[in-house]
Amino acid sequence: SRPMSLELVGGGDDAVLYTTDLLTGAIYVIDTSAGSVRTINTNGAGTSGIAVDTKRNRAYIANQYDPTGVDVIDLATGAELASIKTPAGTLNAAYDAKNDLVYVVEFHSNKVVVIDAETMKQVGDLQVGNQPNHVTVTDGTAYVVDKSQGGADWSDQIWKITSKVTSTPDPDPTTPTPDPTTPTPDPTTPTPDPTTPTPDPTTPTPDPTTPTPDPGSKTGSVDVSVSLPATGGLALTVGG
């Protein structure tokens, strides 16, 4: 085996350490208190990075040699939930719990891929320096290191990435839109005959048990704005 990146989740007696195997694609789940190791076999090839979505107990593994690039694994069952095609050379990944995003660095394409953790779909990518190698996230801000030698005295660079996620609710499909061609009422139209019978009181009212939409649900489109303030305000806005 050849363990690669490390991801530590939790702390104290509850800390769990995750790592990947470059040769087999396996995920090793290590109970740091008991010292036990659980192996989750995957279809990854050249698996070198891992990010754990603690909200859903999922792992995003970055595969250097696999054309799918990123595989999403259910850590409870070991099932593969999704495969996200990215350019070759996917090296590392990090989960942004604040914005519910996953960042993946692409060594050969010089990009950072952004994934919506809820839908497990790519929502954008961002061009950074040559050969980005590692990414980490703290409090909603991602930091990426490259091997570009593009800084002062041929030094490598660290890119600071900030994100803003907004959800736009879908329109209520039950609300009718006014027909602009509907004629306005004729003011000379006679008023209704007061002898007209009132509606039958036995007509059933709508079922009050019909569920209303969950106000906390994430609906509509998701806009992800990613900016690199260290590079003169370069920004990317994409729709999900």
Side-chain angles (χ1 to χ4, degrees), residues 79-212:
E80 183 179 291
L81 302 177
S83 291
I84 303 163
K85 185 175 178 59
T86 57
T90 307
L91 280 187
N92 198 257
Y95 174 57
D96 176 0
K98 184 173 182 179
N99 296 302
D100 208 20
L101 299 172
V102 177
Y103 293 94
V104 180
V105 291
E106 300 289 345
F107 187 79
H108 296 306
S109 67
N110 307 328
K111 290 183 177 181
V112 176
V113 171
V114 186
I115 299 170
D116 183 332
E118 182 174 336
T119 63
M120 297 180 290
K121 294 184 181 297
Q122 179 177 332
V123 293
D125 57 46
L126 185 65
Q127 195 78 37
V128 291
N130 290 338
Q131 301 177 334
N133 198 56
H134 188 78
V135 57
T136 189
V137 176
T138 180
D139 194 28
T141 300
Y143 296 88
V144 176
V145 63
D146 67 23
K147 292 185 174 181
S148 65
Q149 296 184 339
D153 300 322
W154 301 97
S155 61
D156 296 334
Q157 300 176 106
I158 295 176
W159 301 73
K160 179 181 179 181
I161 303 175
T162 55
S163 305
K164 181 180 180 181
V165 179
T166 57
S167 295
T168 305
D170 290 325
D172 182 359
T174 62
T175 304
T177 315
D179 181 0
T181 62
T182 302
T184 54
D186 181 357
T188 63
T189 302
T191 55
D193 182 358
T195 63
T196 301
T198 56
D200 182 359
T202 62
T203 302
T205 56
D207 182 1
T209 62
T210 303
T212 55

Side-chain angles (χ1 to χ4, degrees), residues 3 16 22 25 29 44 48 75 104 125 143 172 176 185 226-227:
V16 179
L22 182 70
V29 185
S48 59
L75 289 171
V104 180
D125 57 46
Y143 296 88
D172 182 359
V226 185
S227 63

